[in-house]
Amino acid sequence: MSRSAGLRFECTLCGECCTARGEYAYVYLNADEARALADELGLGLAEFKRRYTEKDEYGWTQLPCDSDSCVFREPGANRCAVDAARPAQSRTVRFWRG
């Protein structure tokens, strides 16, 4: 595969990008990702942040996992309800060291 082609994979519905990892139960968002998620959900940015995010002790915006999975995991499925707007952390989890 040429470098310009990039790394690609198809979703296998494994749920890895949707589930918490022990005590690590957050997805961090930058400003563009928060805006994209708000737009995908048809919400204003302030409303999206109020409903779905919190700040950590360093001031970073994060989506907390609800129990053991992301709030945007479709109930009963390993599928993302906001797939088109998934943040980089969720898009790249398959490439992290385990």
Side-chain angles (χ1 to χ4, degrees), residues 16-18 21 88-97:
E16 280 188 50
C17 62
C18 302
R21 299 194 184 22
Q89 182 177 329
S90 298
R91 291 181 185 279
T92 62
V93 71
R94 303 250 329 173
F95 302 106
W96 296 5
R97 280 192 156 165

Side-chain angles (χ1 to χ4, degrees), residues 43-83:
L43 299 172
L45 184 59
E47 180 65 13
F48 167 77
K49 286 182 175 182
R50 187 187 67 73
R51 283 191 198 181
Y52 295 107
T53 71
E54 58 187 42
K55 296 275 187 178
D56 72 5
E57 65 271 21
Y58 304 106
W60 293 93
T61 301
Q62 55 191 0
L63 291 171
C65 289
D66 183 22
S67 73
D68 69 344
S69 65
C70 177
V71 66
F72 296 119
R73 181 181 187 184
E74 289 186 7
N78 286 329
R79 190 174 27 238
C80 182
V82 291
D83 187 66

Side-chain angles (χ1 to χ4, degrees), residues 2 9-12 21 27 35 37 40 52 54 57 60 81 88 93:
S2 76
F9 72 92
E10 289 186 31
C11 179
T12 62
R21 299 194 184 22
V27 174
R35 165 55 60 204
L37 285 166
E40 181 73 13
Y52 295 107
E54 58 187 42
E57 65 271 21
W60 293 93
V93 71

